[in-house]
Amino acid sequence: MTDAQVFDELWQVICEREREDPGRKSYVRHLLFHEKGIDKPLEKVGEESCEFVLAVKNGREEAIVGEAADLLFHLMVALKAADVDFAKVEEELEVRRAGMHLHD
């Protein structure tokens, strides 16, 4: 599996969870359909951002990796809550990557 495939598969799972039967328990559904609306997944992005920053500050690689994964996951859920397809983020990254000058 390539790096991009991990994100694509994760995005597909997030999309599937959104469409699932409301009676089925799912952490993604809990975030997407919370009574706070989009504030709930955004709160998680904020929380995970702080935890990532602290992990980096403390220099513990295992914690950094775990918090980075949590942050990326919750960011993707927040994108879904905002009705923004992850493919658009990937496209933007590709555009930015194409404009980079690697010899500078």
Side-chain angles (χ1 to χ4, degrees):
M1 179 180 311
T2 67
D3 295 340
Q5 285 176 314
V6 169
F7 290 110
D8 291 342
E9 288 183 16
L10 182 55
W11 183 252
Q12 290 308 311
V13 169
I14 291 168
C15 292
E16 288 169 12
R17 295 295 188 270
E18 180 191 39
R19 295 187 302 266
E20 282 182 345
D21 177 2
R24 183 168 183 220
K25 298 287 184 189
S26 161
Y27 180 63
V28 171
R29 286 191 62 77
H30 168 75
L31 294 175
L32 292 176
F33 297 102
H34 196 275
E35 64 187 23
K36 291 183 176 182
I38 198 167
D39 285 355
K40 186 63 177 178
L42 294 177
E43 287 173 4
K44 291 301 294 180
V45 170
E47 174 188 328
E48 298 301 340
S49 296
C50 290
E51 290 175 3
F52 172 73
V53 168
L54 292 173
V56 171
K57 181 182 174 293
N58 293 327
R60 295 185 5 252
E61 184 176 350
E62 185 177 332
I64 294 168
V65 170
E67 296 303 340
D70 288 346
L71 177 55
L72 289 168
F73 168 76
H74 287 93
L75 181 62
M76 292 176 80
V77 174
L79 286 167
K80 186 64 181 168
D83 200 28
V84 175
D85 195 298
F86 188 69
K88 290 185 177 183
V89 175
E90 291 176 311
E91 290 167 10
E92 180 63 21
L93 289 170
E94 287 174 8
V95 167
R96 291 179 183 201
R97 166 65 183 92
M100 293 177 115
H101 301 286
L102 297 178
H103 302 292
D104 293 343

